[in-house]
């Protein structure tokens, strides 16, 4: 049984984090309005490279949770969560989730200092984007020793930022069991088949095909490995534990994004109902509207608390992180679903038009619901973790495949 308690002061926002939030909000207000987000998402890379560089160079967002010895700022996930909440608030399409959270945590959790020294500095300074394959979704990738080193064969589907990432960390089946491998596809021009060449390991192909997904601000791709050169990360036998820890980190990050998106939706609706008049008075004065907004506020505050607790557990390396992560996933995805529904409905006819930004938030909320397991998956997981059922391993089924989370 887990003790669900922590120092309350860890849940409070420090002055340093408050200042970080203000600086980020100002930058994102300038660069990530609804029209800018649409343009970035429709661009060839799916995000604004200049904004990515500004986040790294002016604020150091990518470096926040990276240790100083690997070129980072040496803060904790608590600081990174502030950035995730603010980018989630505006639906910034920059690949913070796959690069900094998933790939960054994978490298750190592996304990492979050589791999960390090679790739984490690039993540921290914004010169490298990365992702993981075969983690949240089912994958069929095998690793074998070629003439010049390890090569990967098979495919992984719905890889976050899989089409353009400079580095892909892959969970693949090797002769000695599941292991983690790093693949660096060579960036050519255009999309489709791209060749990759690793130092001293020959060459192979890595085909990356963009998937058509519900949320245009979070790109995903099918990645086919056809003898792609790769290098092992960490030791044999570690993969399952690393994947489980990284998925929980991803859930906590997603919860922070959802809090930001829900807060934006509430603010936008409040602004609208103050000024939209019907029958001679603002619609915000109608009791039914007040009740709906009060329900949304209660859900949002509950989600904010769940996210803060999960963030504190991840930042502090606490044993109850799996419980906190799944609790946050349930609370925050539920609040986001309600917030986006009210965003559309309380704006009336205009809210149902594609031109209104509410639809971008609806798409993000719906697409994220199953990204690291649905709310029902997490309720079942919590029942097992808390000893309420016989299921204790915390497995979550994603896209039909059982994954330990």
């Amino acid at each position: 049984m887990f003790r669900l308690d922590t120092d309350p002061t860890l849940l409070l926002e420090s002055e340093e984090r408050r200042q970080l939030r203000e600086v980020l909000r100002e930058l994102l207000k300038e660069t990530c309005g609804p029209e800018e987000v649409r343009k970035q998402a429709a661009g060839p890379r799916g995000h604004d490279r200049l904004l990515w560089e500004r986040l790294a160079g002016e604020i150091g967002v990518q470096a926040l949770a990276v240790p100083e010895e690997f070129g980072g700022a040496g803060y904790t996930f608590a600081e990174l969560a502030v950035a995730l909440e603010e980018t989630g608030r505006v639906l910034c399409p920059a690949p913070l989730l796959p690069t900094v959270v998933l790939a960054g945590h994978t490298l750190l959790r592996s304990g492979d200092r050589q791999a960390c020294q090679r790739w984490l500095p690039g993540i921290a300074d914004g010169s490298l984007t990365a992702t993981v394959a075969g983690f949240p979704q089912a994958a069929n990738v095998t690793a074998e020793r070629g003439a010049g080193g390890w090569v990967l064969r098979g495919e992984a589907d719905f890889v976050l930022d899989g089409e353009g990432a400079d580095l892909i960390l892959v969970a693949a089946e090797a002769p000695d069991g599941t292991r983690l491998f790093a693949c660096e596809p060579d960036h050519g021009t255009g999309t489709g088949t791209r060749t990759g060449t690793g130092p001293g390991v020959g060459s192979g192909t890595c085909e990356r095909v963009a998937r058509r997904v519900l949320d245009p601000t979070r790109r995903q791709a099918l990645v086919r490995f056809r003898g792609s050169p790769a290098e092992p990360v960490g030791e044999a036998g570690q993969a399952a534990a690393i994947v489980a820890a990284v998925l929980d980190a991803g859930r906590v990050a997603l919860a922070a994004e959802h809090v930001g998106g829900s807060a934006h939706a509430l603010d936008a609706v409040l602004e609208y109902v103050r000024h939209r008049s019907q029958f001679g008075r603002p619609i915000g004065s109608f009791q039914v509207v007040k009740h709906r907004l009060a329900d949304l506020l209660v859900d949002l505050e509950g989600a904010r608390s769940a996210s803060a607790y999960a963030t504190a557990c991840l930042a502090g390396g606490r044993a109850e992180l799996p419980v906190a992560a799944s609790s946050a996933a349930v609370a925050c995805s539920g609040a986001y679903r309600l917030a986006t529904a009210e965003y559309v409905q309380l704006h009336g006819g205009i809210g149902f038009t594609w031109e209104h930004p509410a639809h971008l938030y609806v798409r993000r909320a719906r697409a994220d619901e199953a990204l690291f397991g649905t709310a029902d998956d997490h309720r079942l997981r919590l029942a097992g973790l808390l000893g309420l059922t016989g299921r204790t391993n915390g497995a979550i089924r994603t896209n039909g495949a059982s994954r330990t989370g």
Side-chain angles (χ1 to χ4, degrees), residues 26-39:
E26 189 64 28
L27 173 61
L28 295 173
K29 181 180 178 181
E30 170 194 336
T31 58
C32 284
E35 291 309 311
E36 287 81 2
V37 166
R38 291 179 192 269
K39 290 177 182 177

Side-chain angles (χ1 to χ4, degrees), residues 283-303:
I283 63 174
S285 65
F286 299 152
Q287 190 175 46
V288 65
V289 174
K290 291 180 180 179
H291 286 176
R292 290 171 68 166
L293 292 175
D295 288 341
L296 176 54
L297 178 61
V298 170
D299 273 22
L300 173 56
E301 290 305 309

Side-chain angles (χ1 to χ4, degrees), residues 211-284:
R211 285 299 199 189
R212 184 177 181 182
V213 291
L214 180 62
D215 176 16
T217 66
R218 202 188 301 277
R219 289 194 175 182
Q220 301 180 46
L222 168 67
V223 181
R224 296 191 180 100
F225 301 98
R226 297 175 174 174
S228 306
E231 298 181 24
V233 175
E235 301 296 330
Q238 290 183 317
I242 294 172
V243 168
V246 170
L247 288 181
D248 274 333
R251 289 161 187 144
V252 179
L254 210 59
E257 287 190 356
H258 290 175
V259 168
S262 300
H264 163 82
L266 178 58
D267 289 347
V269 171
L270 285 172
E271 181 66 19
Y272 181 76
V273 300
R274 285 193 190 105
H275 297 95
R276 177 71 167 93
S277 293
Q278 195 67 267
F279 305 110
R281 60 176 180 160
I283 63 174

Side-chain angles (χ1 to χ4, degrees), residues 11-357:
L11 306 181
L12 301 176
E13 186 166 271
S14 66
E15 178 62 21
E16 197 169 39
R17 291 174 201 155
R18 186 190 64 78
Q19 293 177 3
L20 172 62
R21 184 182 302 279
E22 290 178 355
V23 172
L24 266 170
R25 187 168 297 187
E26 189 64 28
L27 173 61
L28 295 173
K29 181 180 178 181
E30 170 194 336
T31 58
C32 284
E35 291 309 311
E36 287 81 2
V37 166
R38 291 179 192 269
K39 290 177 182 177
Q40 292 176 35
R45 185 60 182 84
H47 69 272
D48 183 356
R49 186 69 193 187
L50 178 59
L51 174 59
W52 181 256
E53 293 171 355
R54 291 186 67 184
L55 288 171
E58 296 179 19
I59 304 177
V61 170
Q62 293 90 321
L64 286 171
V66 177
E68 291 181 284
E69 62 180 311
F70 301 125
Y75 290 102
T76 70
F77 188 86
E79 285 70 34
L80 180 58
V82 172
L84 291 165
E85 185 176 332
E86 290 304 312
T87 54
R89 187 181 183 92
V90 297
L91 300 185
C92 176
L96 282 175
L97 177 64
T99 297
V100 181
V101 180
L102 300 181
H105 274 76
T106 298
L107 290 169
L108 289 170
R109 284 281 183 173
S110 74
D112 189 328
R113 292 187 60 82
Q114 183 176 356
C116 288
Q117 289 171 347
R118 178 173 176 181
W119 288 299
L120 281 177
I123 289 177
D125 66 20
S127 62
L128 179 76
T129 58
T131 189
V132 298
F135 281 29
Q137 290 84 13
N140 182 24
V141 182
T142 60
E144 57 189 54
R145 286 190 178 276
W150 289 96
V151 294
L152 301 177
R153 301 188 186 279
E155 64 181 40
D157 209 350
F158 297 103
V159 178
L160 294 173
D161 197 39
E163 187 186 8
D166 304 309
L167 171 70
I168 305 177
L169 299 173
V170 189
E173 292 298 322
D176 53 353
T178 304
R179 292 193 64 172
L180 295 175
F181 292 86
C183 175
E184 292 183 285
D186 179 41
H187 280 257
T189 57
T191 59
T193 303
R194 303 177 182 187
T195 60
T197 305
V201 294
S203 64
T205 61
C206 180
E207 182 183 3
R208 304 191 277 179
V209 181
R211 285 299 199 189
R212 184 177 181 182
V213 291
L214 180 62
D215 176 16
T217 66
R218 202 188 301 277
R219 289 194 175 182
Q220 301 180 46
L222 168 67
V223 181
R224 296 191 180 100
F225 301 98
R226 297 175 174 174
S228 306
E231 298 181 24
V233 175
E235 301 296 330
Q238 290 183 317
I242 294 172
V243 168
V246 170
L247 288 181
D248 274 333
R251 289 161 187 144
V252 179
L254 210 59
E257 287 190 356
H258 290 175
V259 168
S262 300
H264 163 82
L266 178 58
D267 289 347
V269 171
L270 285 172
E271 181 66 19
Y272 181 76
V273 300
R274 285 193 190 105
H275 297 95
R276 177 71 167 93
S277 293
Q278 195 67 267
F279 305 110
R281 60 176 180 160
I283 63 174
S285 65
F286 299 152
Q287 190 175 46
V288 65
V289 174
K290 291 180 180 179
H291 286 176
R292 290 171 68 166
L293 292 175
D295 288 341
L296 176 54
L297 178 61
V298 170
D299 273 22
L300 173 56
E301 290 305 309
R304 197 184 300 278
S305 295
S307 175
Y309 179 68
T311 294
C313 289
L314 180 55
R318 297 179 66 91
E320 59 265 34
L321 173 61
V323 171
S326 281
S327 298
V330 172
C332 297
S333 64
Y336 205 12
R337 170 184 275 269
L338 177 62
T340 54
E342 297 291 38
Y343 195 3
V344 171
Q345 293 175 17
L346 290 179
H347 272 80
I350 191 175
F352 286 86
T353 63
W354 171 238
E355 289 75 12
H356 196 276

